[in-house]
Amino acid sequence: MTTLEQFIITRQQEREGSGAFSKILRDLGLAGKLLSFYLRRASLSGLLGELGLTNIQGESVQKLDHLANTLLIRLLSQNPHVAGLASEEEEHILPANPEGKYVVLLDPLDGSSNIDTGVPVGTIFSIYRRISPLGTPCSEADFLQGGRAQVAAGYILYGTSTLLFYTTGEGVHGFTLEPAAGEFFLTYPHVEMPPKSTYYSFNDNQLHEWEPSLQRYVADLHTRNRTSAKPQSLRYVGSLVADFHRNLLKGGLFMYPGTVQKPEGKLRLLYEGYPMAFLAEQAGAKATNGRQALLDVPPSKIHQRTPLFIGPAEEIDRIHTFLNTNVPVETL
Ligand code: AHM
Ligand code: MG
């Protein structure tokens, strides 16, 4: 049995790393343990419901959103290796330790609409090596390096068990929290997404607002299902971490496209898009904005939004064929 800590330390020794990066991952694991503890008792501890504040995204802040954000920021800003943080819940970047080598981006509690109902939610993280000079306060440019510059990304899923999945560019590895021991154990080494889609996950309440070529793709998906020996099933939780995680293990497409009104979609490029795209590519899958690989989309601001298409290469390529050519209706 390998604990997260042992796994991180072994990898650090192999790379002759300084240990700085490992300590950040360890803190993220600690935050995961604490948040898992609070979430499981939330309805008993008066932690459900709205806080009465609105965040930078214009969304109502839930008490647990606030708790997760505060806990992660406190924990990580005490870490001497963290130069600064950016959070979906914070308007501006938060400089931490000028001597730190890394910056961390967070979606502290993803799936806010599910928080009060006992449905799985998650924490998403992404880590970059700073580009501003050591010894100075970090700058926004450290956070806007683009998806390919991520040195690590991952998520913690608070579901039937608490899982931590991450990548440092050497595959995706998953750990399960054993609450009795208070340790994450390696349970999913080298995760690959199955190449065939078993599931599709999207909220189609705005389908009439999607571009016609994407509506044609959805019609194609249903048509294939009518004739296929193995039709794909709809599964949509409404928590990106949970939806992505299921699709990662079982093979499935997740998409959150833009609409005529909001072509940029809902999800955030830095806090949700890039980290999930890094994990997807490392698991042999694809992630795009419908036009290009998401990791190649240049960022211009920290709270930028993006359409997101993520899943097995075959399914994503099919979507691209629809989006980028005019597939005649009679082929459907
Ligand atoms: P959040 O960060 O405020 O929780 O919003 C992001 C969430 C994702 O987890 C999920 O994929 C999506 O919003 C669901 O949106 P919708 O309710 O429109 O289907
Ligand atoms: Mg989110």
Side-chain angles (χ1 to χ4, degrees):
M1 294 175 87
T2 308
T3 66
L4 175 63
E5 187 127 6
Q6 288 162 345
F7 188 81
I8 294 170
I9 290 170
T10 311
R11 300 216 138 201
Q12 171 205 321
Q13 284 162 349
E14 279 165 10
R15 274 197 252 105
E16 294 178 15
S18 64
F21 175 67
S22 308
K23 288 197 179 104
I24 298 175
L25 275 180
R26 215 163 54 194
D27 274 354
L28 286 163
L30 176 57
K33 289 179 209 173
L34 290 168
L35 285 174
S36 173
F37 175 86
Y38 292 129
L39 285 164
R40 290 197 192 289
R41 283 156 193 80
S43 60
L44 299 168
S45 319
L47 280 172
L48 297 185
E50 293 178 358
L51 189 68
L53 297 174
T54 305
N55 70 7
I56 168 67
Q57 321 285 345
E59 300 152 350
S60 160
V61 179
Q62 308 283 314
K63 287 181 194 163
L64 282 167
D65 271 333
H66 180 71
L67 183 130
N69 188 47
T70 310
L71 188 143
L72 279 156
I73 289 171
R74 283 208 192 145
L75 238 169
L76 287 163
S77 50
Q78 282 168 17
N79 184 316
H81 307 294
V82 175
L85 295 148
S87 161
E88 192 187 291
E89 299 293 330
E90 300 285 333
E91 184 167 2
H92 302 292
I93 63 164
L94 305 167
N97 302 296
E99 299 300 333
K101 280 203 286 194
Y102 297 95
V103 295
V104 184
L105 289 92
L106 300 162
D107 181 350
L109 207 55
D110 179 66
S112 297
S113 67
N114 286 322
I115 286 180
D116 280 0
T117 59
V119 173
V121 291
T123 296
I124 310 175
F125 58 88
S126 158
I127 306 176
Y128 295 77
R129 200 167 281 111
R130 73 185 296 177
I131 48 174
S132 55
L134 261 188
T136 65
C138 67
S139 71
E140 212 165 86
D142 293 319
F143 298 85
L144 294 174
Q145 298 181 50
R148 300 253 174 237
Q150 291 176 101
V151 294
Y155 58 79
I156 303 161
L157 172 64
Y158 311 101
T160 47
S161 47
T162 298
L163 302 169
L164 188 154
F165 275 53
Y166 83 94
T167 183
T168 54
E170 296 171 338
V172 176
H173 307 286
F175 299 79
T176 304
L177 180 64
E178 163 54 89
E183 291 279 6
F184 282 100
F185 288 95
L186 179 64
T187 40
Y188 301 85
H190 298 285
V191 182
E192 289 279 323
M193 187 187 284
K196 286 267 173 224
S197 246
T198 306
Y199 297 120
Y200 62 90
S201 323
F202 48 83
N203 181 349
D204 66 359
N205 70 347
Q206 296 296 305
L207 183 106
H208 61 287
E209 283 263 335
W210 294 356
E211 48 189 300
S213 50
L214 190 57
Q215 296 186 31
R216 283 199 287 273
Y217 165 76
V218 175
D220 164 74
L221 181 65
H222 292 315
T223 305
R224 278 187 282 149
N225 266 351
R226 278 203 289 275
T227 50
S228 164
K230 279 194 176 172
Q232 298 182 43
S233 292
L234 164 68
R235 294 281 187 282
Y236 189 73
V237 176
S239 293
L240 175 62
V241 174
D243 280 312
F244 176 78
H245 178 74
R246 181 202 51 248
N247 292 350
L248 175 66
L249 296 186
K250 301 288 185 187
L253 161 78
F254 174 92
M255 66 176 176
Y256 208 114
T259 60
V260 175
Q261 301 289 332
K262 288 172 78 181
E264 69 289 357
K266 174 183 182 186
L267 301 177
R268 270 65 39 146
L269 179 64
L270 272 69
Y271 312 111
E272 292 158 333
Y274 282 158
M276 291 311 194
F278 191 16
L279 288 158
E281 287 198 5
Q282 285 296 313
K286 280 192 177 177
T288 78
N289 65 356
R291 298 286 184 276
Q292 66 179 134
L294 204 74
L295 293 178
D296 293 326
V297 174
S300 53
K301 53 181 188 202
I302 58 169
H303 294 300
Q304 188 169 333
R305 292 176 193 261
T306 181
L308 178 62
F309 299 83
I310 194 160
E314 189 183 80
E315 206 60 36
I316 299 295
D317 290 346
R318 198 172 180 97
I319 293 177
H320 274 225
T321 308
F322 276 87
L323 288 179
N324 300 314
T325 55
N326 250 335
V327 178
V329 179
E330 57 271 22
T331 64
L332 302 178

